[in-house]
Amino acid sequence: GDSVTQMEGPVTLSEEAFLTINCTYTATGYPSLFWYVQYPGEGLQLLLKATKADDKGSNKGFEATYRKETTSFHLEKGSVQVSDSAVYFCALSDLGGGAQKLVFGQGTRLTINP
Amino acid sequence: GAVVSQHPSRVICKSGTSVKIECRSLDFQATTMFWYRQFPKKSLMLMATSNEGSKATYEQGVEKDKFLINHASLTLSTLTVTSAHPEDSSFYICSAREGTSANNEQFFGPGTRLTVL
């Protein structure tokens, strides 16, 4: 079945550091890819998405490019802030049957120190 | 943005009792709601999908008689864990989607932590 693998956390960085969180996927079809972020005490929020190969999703300084050849969707940010501390989930959506089932990675906890 | 709430945020119960968790869409009509379970350091696992007014569709391996889902209105879905046991202890998360299009975004609740003693 479909699956998503993320780099294990936790990840701790200093403010203004460059961030990469790796995500690779396995899917039989042509899924859409997502990054969700969960701030402490809140629900998951959609951070960005890409629906086809070579698409780049971007939001709040974060970017991820849908790479079909490497089945990857790595999350990057050039200069992180303390407020970026959260848990990040990579996910894919296979529309099979139109249900839009989301398959999640295990999440990566990110802590940014001032 | 759209807001989804869950109640309670935490619940502790004794083994053998039943627990009901509510999921509400506060500012939109949720035609479809999803229930997920998250184990520590693991990903969210979809348990079931429910459409308002219909029976829920459960994922393989999820006991429908154990995890009762009701989606009686466009703003409320409930998950009842019946005869809970310690192995049911987990973090339960709901999400809600407006309309029937699979392309519509899912909005997530903050989750409910269930501890069964």
Coordinates of all heavy atoms in Angstrom, one line a residue, chain B residues 15-16 22 42 47 85 87 101 107-108 110-111 114-115:
Chain B
S15 N -11.0 0.6 32.7 CA -11.2 -0.5 31.8 C -12.6 -1.0 31.8 O -13.2 -1.2 32.9 CB -10.2 -1.6 32.1 OG -10.2 -2.6 31.1
G16 N -13.2 -1.2 30.6 CA -14.5 -1.7 30.6 C -15.6 -0.6 30.4 O -16.7 -1.0 30.0
E22 N -16.3 14.0 20.9 CA -17.0 14.8 19.9 C -16.1 15.6 19.0 O -15.1 16.0 19.5 CB -18.0 15.8 20.7 CG -19.1 15.1 21.5 CD -20.0 16.2 22.1 OE1 -19.6 17.4 22.0 OE2 -21.1 15.8 22.5
K42 N 4.4 7.7 16.1 CA 4.0 7.1 14.9 C 3.1 8.1 14.1 O 2.7 9.1 14.6 CB 3.1 5.8 15.3 CG 3.9 4.8 16.1 CD 4.8 4.0 15.2 CE 5.5 2.9 16.0 NZ 6.5 2.2 15.2
M47 N -8.8 5.7 10.8 CA -9.7 4.7 11.3 C -10.9 4.5 10.4 O -11.3 3.4 10.1 CB -10.1 5.0 12.7 CG -8.9 5.1 13.7 SD -9.5 5.7 15.3 CE -10.5 4.3 15.8
H85 N -10.2 -0.7 26.8 CA -9.2 -1.4 27.5 C -7.9 -0.6 27.3 O -7.8 0.3 26.5 CB -9.0 -2.8 26.9 CG -10.2 -3.7 27.3 ND1 -11.3 -3.8 26.5 CD2 -10.4 -4.5 28.4 CE1 -12.1 -4.7 27.1 NE2 -11.6 -5.1 28.2
E87 N -5.2 -1.1 25.9 CA -4.6 -1.0 24.5 C -5.3 0.0 23.6 O -4.8 0.3 22.5 CB -4.6 -2.4 23.8 CG -6.0 -3.0 23.7 CD -6.3 -3.9 24.9 OE1 -5.8 -3.7 26.0 OE2 -7.1 -4.9 24.6
S101 N -16.3 17.1 -2.7 CA -15.1 16.9 -3.6 C -13.9 16.4 -2.8 O -13.6 17.0 -1.7 CB -14.8 18.3 -4.2 OG -13.6 18.2 -4.9
F107 N -9.8 19.8 7.5 CA -9.4 20.7 8.6 C -9.4 19.8 9.8 O -10.4 19.0 10.1 CB -10.3 21.9 8.7 CG -10.3 22.8 7.6 CD1 -11.2 22.7 6.6 CD2 -9.3 23.7 7.5 CE1 -11.2 23.5 5.5 CE2 -9.2 24.6 6.3 CZ -10.2 24.5 5.3
F108 N -8.3 19.9 10.6 CA -8.1 19.0 11.7 C -8.5 19.6 13.1 O -8.2 20.7 13.3 CB -6.7 18.5 11.8 CG -6.3 17.5 10.6 CD1 -6.1 18.0 9.4 CD2 -6.3 16.2 10.9 CE1 -5.8 17.1 8.3 CE2 -6.0 15.3 9.9 CZ -5.7 15.8 8.6
P110 N -7.9 19.4 17.3 CA -6.6 19.4 18.1 C -6.3 18.0 18.8 O -5.3 17.8 19.3 CB -6.9 20.4 19.2 CG -8.4 20.5 19.4 CD -8.9 20.2 18.0
G111 N -7.3 17.1 18.7 CA -7.0 15.8 19.2 C -7.6 15.6 20.6 O -7.8 16.5 21.4
L114 N -6.8 9.8 25.1 CA -7.5 8.8 25.9 C -6.6 7.9 26.6 O -5.7 7.3 26.0 CB -8.4 7.9 25.0 CG -9.1 6.7 25.7 CD1 -10.0 7.2 26.8 CD2 -9.8 5.9 24.6
T115 N -6.8 7.8 27.9 CA -6.0 6.9 28.8 C -6.9 6.0 29.5 O -7.9 6.4 30.2 CB -5.2 7.7 29.8 OG1 -4.3 8.6 29.2 CG2 -4.3 6.7 30.6

